[in-house]
Amino acid sequence: MSVERCDVLAVGGGPFNLGLAALAEPLADLDVVVCEAAAEAEWSWHSGVLFDDAILQVGFLADLVSLVDPTSPLSFLNYLRDRGRLYQFYVRERFHPTRLEYQDYLRWAASSLDVRYGHRVRTVTWDVEAQRFAVSISGPDGESREISARHLALGVGTAPWLPPELAGLGADAVVHSADYLHRVADLDRAERVTVVGSGQSGAEVMLDLLRRSGSRGPRLSWLTRTESFAPLDYSKLVLEMTTPDYVRYFAGLPEQVRDTLIANQWRHYKGISEETLDDLHDEFYRRQAHGGPEVELRSGVAVRGAAAHDRGLTLDCVHRDTGGRFEHHTDIVVAATGYRHRSTEFLAPIADRLGRDDAGRLQIREDHSVATDPSIVGRIFASNADLHRHGVAAPDLGFGAVRNAVVLNTVLDREAYRLPTRTAFTSFGTPGEGG
């Protein structure tokens, strides 16, 4: 079996690894290969919540390249020109593309890059003799192949997560919000639908349920653990927490301090856009005014248990402020309960040589690589798996280009891309500490 060689093997074909390949494209002394497990025809970006009117929560400059190299031919503006929509986008005067449009942009960019669809990484070992990663891959034809890579870039993304209280109910009773659009027929047949969770996904699901049914059924309920159906905090000075300045400051803090900050910053990336909240209130009012069944909204409520029976589902709930317990009855649950990092079992052969912090999470260096045993000289870079190290910017699309520029500069050991210096008006540290 012949062995292919590359400088960087990117595992996963989502926005962050596509951005890495896009920035590497003009660099003659570096080749990046992207392996994506899904077949090209099946690949999509959050397909279960790609509503026709869903708007990206970041502006178009948060594309694969622009915040590092706005002259790149793989920018969003060049995509618009290629699609013949540049002037229409200009006249539209909206900074944020639709999610469907952004997905089309990702596909457009991927078509110019070395993306291997249907290629699943099976195992990664360290080849001591070659001083490279030996990566075993199964291709779309089912045959095994091997790539020898100097470095790895992990962009495997996240997977829908169900809390144990709901996971035991089974797929017929619970729909994760990630699969919502694939399961609307099941929801249309129900008389009582309950949405659990109040992030942007939960809000968009509730909005779609209201619009689909109008003033008629089903009876809708919305439960959340948070103290309110809280808006996303996207005020401009708060947004400076996604800048490289804040990332550098945050990464230098002690682990315990970083964990405390992350717990208190949830509204920056788990809240609901104000536009969606306004649309929801309009729909609630319209349903009430047109004589439809009221929507039950309850905040500060946690689901502690659930059971299925002949008459539907019973959720055992507790109110956070009062401690009062009550039963909630429904036919089906839409769980907007978030995501967890996907498994990286393919790293099992070298797992004992990867650094972990006190909480068992991967230790991430300042250059976004995983700390490894000195016997491994190659780097394993991680995207969107470093919230605990680099803060709320980790999942933000707007930080992807800067992180990828750091990765490429590290791999090449030179300044292939000039990194931004002062990126925030706020000074985050004490005087004299560079923050």
Side-chain angles (χ1 to χ4, degrees):
M1 180 175 61
S2 62
V3 177
E4 182 182 357
R5 294 165 68 90
C6 69
D7 293 309
V8 181
L9 176 65
V11 185
F16 293 131
N17 272 350
L18 288 178
L20 182 69
L23 287 175
E25 184 68 10
L27 305 176
D29 53 346
L30 186 71
D31 61 316
V32 174
V33 173
V34 181
C35 285
E36 166 57 45
E40 184 173 7
E42 297 171 357
W43 184 89
S44 64
W45 189 63
H46 302 304
S47 63
V49 286
L50 280 177
F51 302 102
D52 288 346
D53 57 349
I55 301 297
L56 202 66
Q57 289 180 291
V58 292
F60 71 90
L61 288 177
D63 61 12
L64 301 179
V65 291
S66 287
L67 287 171
V68 167
D69 181 12
T71 67
S72 169
L74 293 177
S75 71
F76 184 78
L77 288 180
N78 200 39
Y79 154 80
L80 289 174
R81 183 178 69 169
D82 188 64
R83 290 287 197 249
R85 290 203 309 277
L86 186 57
Y87 256 86
Q88 289 89 334
F89 187 82
Y90 160 66
V91 173
R92 175 174 174 258
E93 290 192 336
R94 295 194 67 177
F95 196 67
H96 299 75
T98 69
R99 265 193 232 142
L100 280 167
E101 186 176 34
Y102 188 78
Q103 174 177 256
D104 187 57
Y105 160 67
L106 295 178
R107 285 185 173 276
W108 171 85
S111 68
S112 300
L113 303 170
D114 189 357
V115 180
R116 317 280 179 85
Y117 291 100
H119 284 67
R120 182 179 298 277
V121 172
R122 295 298 184 185
T123 60
V124 173
T125 58
W126 178 250
D127 186 334
V128 177
E129 183 176 346
Q131 293 290 279
R132 285 170 162 264
F133 292 103
V135 185
S136 175
I137 297 170
S138 62
D141 53 8
E143 294 185 6
S144 296
R145 57 203 69 189
E146 188 169 303
I147 293 181
S148 176
R150 288 175 52 217
H151 307 283
L152 301 177
L154 305 182
V156 296
T158 55
W161 179 78
L162 288 174
E165 294 82 3
L166 297 177
L169 292 174
D172 291 339
V174 179
V175 177
H176 194 279
S177 58
D179 299 318
Y180 172 78
L181 289 177
H182 308 308
R183 296 281 305 277
V184 288
D186 296 332
L187 296 164
D188 286 344
R189 289 191 291 268
E191 294 182 4
R192 300 167 298 177
V193 177
T194 298
V195 178
V196 175
S198 63
Q200 183 68 20
S201 294
E204 289 179 355
V205 164
M206 176 57 71
L207 184 59
D208 189 69
L209 287 168
L210 286 162
R211 287 172 171 170
R212 290 176 64 82
S213 61
S215 60
R216 301 175 301 278
R219 298 190 67 87
L220 300 175
S221 299
W222 193 8
L223 312 178
T224 180
R225 290 184 305 170
T226 56
E227 69 272 13
S228 66
F229 297 92
L232 191 70
D233 192 344
Y234 253 36
S235 53
K236 289 180 171 57
L237 291 181
V238 169
L239 270 178
E240 291 196 338
M241 291 193 304
T242 65
T243 63
D245 279 6
Y246 185 77
V247 170
R248 285 191 292 269
Y249 162 75
F250 184 90
L253 296 172
E255 179 182 326
Q256 187 175 0
V257 175
R258 295 198 305 266
D259 288 347
T260 299
L261 285 173
I262 287 295
N264 292 329
Q265 292 171 351
W266 64 270
R267 277 185 58 176
H268 177 71
Y269 59 103
K270 290 185 178 180
I272 306 168
S273 76
E274 290 192 7
E275 182 178 5
T276 304
L277 286 170
D278 289 346
D279 289 343
L280 277 165
H281 197 274
D282 286 345
E283 292 297 333
F284 294 148
Y285 183 85
R286 187 175 295 114
R287 175 176 270 221
Q288 184 185 59
H290 295 175
E294 276 197 34
V295 180
E296 178 186 18
L297 305 176
R298 293 192 186 276
S299 58
V301 170
V303 177
R304 297 302 188 196
H309 45 76
D310 293 341
R311 300 178 306 281
L313 308 174
T314 298
L315 307 184
D316 179 20
C317 302
V318 60
H319 193 272
R320 188 184 67 172
D321 296 338
T322 67
R325 301 184 76 97
F326 64 95
E327 290 185 344
H328 175 80
H329 302 284
T330 189
D331 295 319
I332 194 167
V333 169
V334 180
T337 48
Y339 299 79
R340 295 291 185 271
H341 294 300
R342 291 189 187 277
S343 169
T344 52
E345 290 182 2
F346 53 85
L347 294 175
I350 58 172
D352 59 343
R353 289 190 272 178
L354 305 182
R356 300 277 176 177
D357 65 15
D358 292 340
R361 301 166 298 201
L362 289 173
Q363 272 188 331
I364 308 294
R365 301 185 181 108
E366 187 175 351
D367 64 4
H368 305 284
S369 67
V370 178
T372 59
D373 184 89
S375 63
I376 297 179
V377 298
R379 300 272 182 170
I380 304 174
F381 298 98
S383 293
N384 195 13
D386 55 346
L387 181 70
H388 58 287
R389 176 62 198 270
H390 291 109
V392 294
D396 195 287
L397 292 172
F399 185 65
V402 173
R403 176 168 49 210
N404 285 330
V406 171
V407 169
L408 294 173
N409 288 353
T410 301
V411 167
L412 292 170
D413 196 25
R414 64 179 175 86
E415 191 182 61
Y417 286 101
R418 179 165 54 92
L419 296 172
T421 51
R422 184 66 190 269
T423 55
F425 293 115
T426 307
S427 297
F428 298 104
T430 55
E433 292 182 340

